[in-house]
Structures are given as C-alpha cells and as structure tokens.
Amino acid sequence: MAARGRPRGFDRETALARAMEVFWERGFDNASLGELTHAMGINSPSLYAAFGSKEALFQEAMAFYVKTAGSGIWEPVDSLATARDAIAHVLDATARAFTCRDPSRGCMIVLASPQPRGSNPSISRELERHRRGNRDYLETRLRRAVDEGELPEGTNCHAIATFYATVQHGMSIQARDGASREELLGVADCAMSAWDSLTRPD
Amino acid sequence: MAARGRPRGFDRETALARAMEVFWERGFDNASLGELTHAMGINSPSLYAAFGSKEALFQEAMAFYVKTAGSGIWEPVDSLATARDAIAHVLDATARAFTCRDPSRGCMIVLASPQPRGSNPSISRELERHRRGNRDYLETRLRRAVDEGELPEGTNCHAIATFYATVQHGMSIQARDGASREELLGVADCAMSAWDSLTRPD
DNA sequence: TCATTTATGTATTGATCAATACAAAAATAA
DNA sequence: TTATTTTTGTATTGATCAATACATAAATGA
C-alpha cells in the first residue's frame, strides 16, 4: 500500500513530542498555534491536516505524555510486591519526573487546564478523568494488598489512596514553584512516614 | 472633604467581591471582561476607572481573597498553643474552605494562574510568592516549636513545612475534581497521622 | 445660575486567536 | 505524459479579547 499524493514532509511523532513539550510548559490555553507550529517546525495547515484541531492535538499530546513521562511512575504499581513499595515508588518517581526539566514543570495532567469551567471544559474533564483514574488505581492496589494479607481487614483504602494522590498532585505545584528534586523526595519521605499508622489495625 | 463630580453608582467592595468570585471560579485568563462586568453589575469604563486594569483588579481580588477566605485558615497559626494544633487547624480549615462553594473550587491562590510562563507572568509570580509565604509561615511556626521545646532539636522543619504545604496544595486539585468535604477532612487526618514519626527525635 | 469635576453608557479600536481558502508542489496511477 | 491525490506555504477570515473615545449625566463650588 504505497502512499498516494505528496508525502508528509515531517515526522508525525517528533512533531507530537514537541507539541507535548509546549502544552506541558504553557498549558492548553496559553499554548498558541503560533508557538505550537514554531516548535513543531510546520505551518498551521499541516498541523490541521495531520492532527485535526488544537484540541485533538492536545488529546494526542496527553496520550503521548502518559505513555512516556507517566509510564515510569504508574506502570510498576501492579508488579511491585507490596502496596507499600508501589506507593513509595509512585512518590519517588513523581519527585524525579516532575523535576526532569529545567525549570521544573510538574505534571501536565494536573496543570495543563485546571479550570473545569474554563475555555475548554471537555479538556478539563478529560484531565480530571485521568487524575481520578490514577487515584482509583492506587485504591485498587491497596484493596489487593488487603486481599493478600499485606494490610489488615478494615483498612480505609479509599482514604489512603486519596491522601497519596493528593500528595502527588501537590508536588506539581511545588515543582512549578521551584522546589528542588531533593525537596520533593523529602515530601515523598514525609508522606511515607505516615504509612505505618495509616495501615495499623484499629 | 465632600466628593466632587458625579458619585460612583456602585459599591466598590461589593463589586470587588463579585470579581473575586469570578476569578476564583474561572482563573485569571478565562475570566473575560464581559463576565467580570456582568457579575459586578457595571460597564467596562467604570471598571477601568475604579480599578485601573484587569490585572490590577485581580491583584485587589487576590488581596480580598486572602483577607476573607484565607484568614480563617492562616490567622490562628501563631495563636494556637502548639505547632501540631496549628498545622492540624490549617488542614482542617482548608478542607472546609475549599468545599465552601458548590461545586468546590479549591484555592484561588493555587489555581488561578498555574502557568509561570503563561499569558501573565507577573500574576503567576505574585501567586507563587504568596504560596511560598504560606510555606515559610509554617516553617517559622515549626522553628518556634523547636525553640519552645515542643519539638526536639534537629527536627527537619523545612521538610515538614514543605510536606504539609504540599498536602494543602494538593487538596485544591482534589476539590476541583469533586472531592467531598469529608474526603478532604480524611486527607487532613492522614497527613496528621504522620506527625509523630516526623517529629520523633532521631 | 453656571463652570468644574467625576462617573456612566454606547460604541469602537487594534491585537490576537484558532481555523481555513487557495494555488503551487510533489508524489502515485494509468 | 496526463490525471489524481495529498501536502505545503502564503494569506486571510471571523470571533473574541482587553482597553478606550466620546458624549452625556450627576454631583459640587462659586
């Protein structure tokens, strides 16, 4: 199946990666088409031909972000032996991922469009859906730990998952405010120091 | 000193309070002048005559927010007897304040302009400065507790203050994502359950 | 009364934005 | 070669935005 017509003059995935960087640094609204096309090295008709719209481009950039920056954080959650190891890993990897650019950027999922009734509610809802998914993922991992006997019956998995998700979200703001990697790792340590009392039987 | 000229036809502070609500719900960029003037019940020339510019209006709205919504959270920090009580109060009051509107809004200082290199960097910097001030305020309170003997010498006040500030920031995202007051109070409880191990002598 | 001062309502300005129209370019298929 | 298909670059569109021009209204001071 050879391509008909004139071949595309740029690499789609490279352009997508550059768009992701712009959205990550500037958020959805503040990333103008001029900035995006400049970073991607193309003109706007090429952008629209390849991606459809600014919103569709963002959706793809978000998926790309999850696949690249996010996978190192969340993928090991199921494979690590204990829920404690899993959550400690999430916080540790978060501290590293949120400070992997200079200046630090925090999490694109948390910061790219924080106004649910802003200019593009569907994007805010999609990001919210994703954050909720991460929280639920932690809760599911905790429930499994209860089933496996790592944690006692009666453990409040919902509250613990919500707590650690909250810490993870807060680290995005700290990163944007210039917190160093060491400070964020310190936050992760502090959060993990609650583990024993959170999972102690009543 | 009677006022010359035609008297202002609206109450300046009432209008400011309404502007604050709009900025709080929509953020700086997404709050259009049309929305602002509609909520304030005035036309744009009156807005500019009374407040100067959209940015100046936001600065005043931010100060108003700190004075009203924020004071109940931060004011008791110095007067409460112990650092533990102070921090527990901050988290508890935060959970309540962030869910005092329906739908929940979280914190205007955290959410109104989260892109440091967005459309208005000076506003982002001002908000960041304020967040940093809150964090420093917690650290100062912890150092006082060390001086007074509540906490042992060698307590890592910087790390503990950063941790609790991070939790507080994360609660804004949770509130925006629809977390209930009870869930946020649960987050506050989880965070406080780390207290003993965080403040235990080495 | 009349000049001065300040506020208000209507209408508009220039800038910026996302998205597109259009014709030329570059490939394949017949 | 010629017709067809798709991409590219230039230029533009209509919408929306923050901010303002201007004439009128409503107060005080002389």
Side-chain angles (χ1 to χ4, degrees):
Chain A
M1 180 76 84
R4 286 294 296 269
R6 178 173 174 173
R8 181 176 286 140
F10 62 96
D11 182 71
R12 197 178 186 280
E13 191 165 54
T14 302
L16 179 59
R18 296 204 180 142
M20 179 198 72
E21 295 286 334
V22 175
F23 282 129
W24 191 1
E25 178 173 352
R26 305 262 293 158
F28 178 76
D29 288 326
N30 289 321
S32 72
L33 270 152
E35 274 179 293
L36 288 165
T37 53
H38 180 260
M40 298 163 85
I42 59 179
N43 293 113
S44 61
S46 298
L47 188 156
Y48 280 87
F51 298 99
S53 69
K54 186 187 176 185
E55 177 174 340
L57 174 63
F58 181 86
Q59 301 280 5
E60 281 203 55
M62 186 179 128
F64 190 82
Y65 176 87
V66 169
K67 194 175 68 181
T68 55
S71 69
I73 298 176
W74 297 100
E75 210 175 73
V77 166
D78 274 334
S79 53
L80 284 166
T82 64
R84 177 176 187 147
D85 284 348
I87 288 180
H89 164 80
V90 166
L91 296 180
D92 183 88
T94 292
R96 298 176 195 281
F98 286 7
T99 55
C100 70
R101 295 287 192 287
D102 185 38
S104 296
R105 286 186 194 166
C107 177
M108 176 173 158
I109 304 294
V110 170
L111 297 169
S113 183
Q115 313 299 342
R117 277 162 297 287
S119 69
N120 199 316
S122 75
I123 282 187
S124 293
R125 261 184 273 114
E126 179 74 8
L127 291 169
E128 177 188 328
R129 204 186 57 77
H130 203 90
R131 291 191 294 269
R132 195 181 299 273
N134 285 341
R135 203 210 58 83
D136 291 345
Y137 192 43
L138 289 182
E139 184 171 338
T140 300
R141 183 65 187 83
L142 288 163
R143 292 200 189 285
R144 189 186 120 195
V146 173
D147 290 342
E148 293 174 346
E150 176 193 347
L151 301 179
E153 295 287 336
T155 300
N156 193 340
C157 297
H158 181 80
I160 298 173
T162 303
F163 168 63
Y164 283 109
T166 302
V167 172
Q168 210 236 356
H169 295 160
M171 287 166 78
S172 279
I173 310 291
Q174 294 289 355
R176 282 278 158 148
D177 286 354
S180 67
R181 176 166 293 185
E182 288 65 36
E183 287 176 305
L184 291 190
L185 289 170
V187 169
D189 279 345
C190 289
M192 286 313 296
S193 81
W195 182 264
D196 287 343
S197 62
L198 289 175
T199 58
R200 192 175 298 139
D202 322 288
Chain B
M1 178 78 84
R4 288 292 297 268
R6 177 174 175 173
R8 183 176 284 141
F10 62 97
D11 182 73
R12 197 178 185 280
E13 192 164 54
T14 303
L16 180 59
R18 298 208 180 137
M20 179 199 73
E21 296 287 334
V22 175
F23 282 129
W24 191 1
E25 178 173 352
R26 305 262 293 159
F28 178 75
D29 289 325
N30 289 320
S32 72
L33 271 155
E35 273 180 294
L36 288 165
T37 54
H38 179 261
M40 298 163 85
I42 59 177
N43 293 112
S44 62
S46 299
L47 188 155
Y48 281 87
F51 298 99
S53 68
K54 186 187 175 187
E55 177 174 340
L57 174 62
F58 181 85
Q59 302 279 6
E60 281 204 56
M62 186 178 128
F64 190 82
Y65 176 85
V66 169
K67 195 177 66 179
T68 56
S71 69
I73 297 176
W74 296 100
E75 211 175 72
V77 165
D78 274 334
S79 53
L80 284 165
T82 65
R84 177 177 187 147
D85 284 348
I87 288 180
H89 164 79
V90 166
L91 296 180
D92 183 88
T94 293
R96 297 175 195 281
F98 287 8
T99 54
C100 69
R101 295 289 191 289
D102 185 38
S104 297
R105 285 185 195 166
C107 177
M108 175 173 158
I109 305 293
V110 170
L111 296 169
S113 183
Q115 313 298 341
R117 278 162 297 286
S119 68
N120 199 314
S122 76
I123 282 187
S124 293
R125 259 184 275 114
E126 179 74 7
L127 292 169
E128 176 188 330
R129 203 185 58 76
H130 204 90
R131 290 191 294 267
R132 196 181 299 273
N134 285 341
R135 202 210 60 82
D136 292 345
Y137 192 43
L138 290 183
E139 184 170 339
T140 300
R141 184 63 187 83
L142 287 163
R143 293 200 189 286
R144 189 186 121 196
V146 172
D147 291 341
E148 293 175 345
E150 177 194 346
L151 301 179
E153 295 288 337
T155 300
N156 193 339
C157 297
H158 182 80
I160 298 173
T162 303
F163 167 63
Y164 283 110
T166 302
V167 172
Q168 209 235 356
H169 295 160
M171 287 166 77
S172 280
I173 310 292
Q174 295 288 354
R176 282 278 158 148
D177 287 353
S180 67
R181 175 166 293 184
E182 288 66 35
E183 286 176 305
L184 292 189
L185 289 170
V187 168
D189 279 345
C190 289
M192 287 313 296
S193 82
W195 182 264
D196 287 344
S197 62
L198 289 176
T199 58
R200 192 175 298 137
D202 321 289

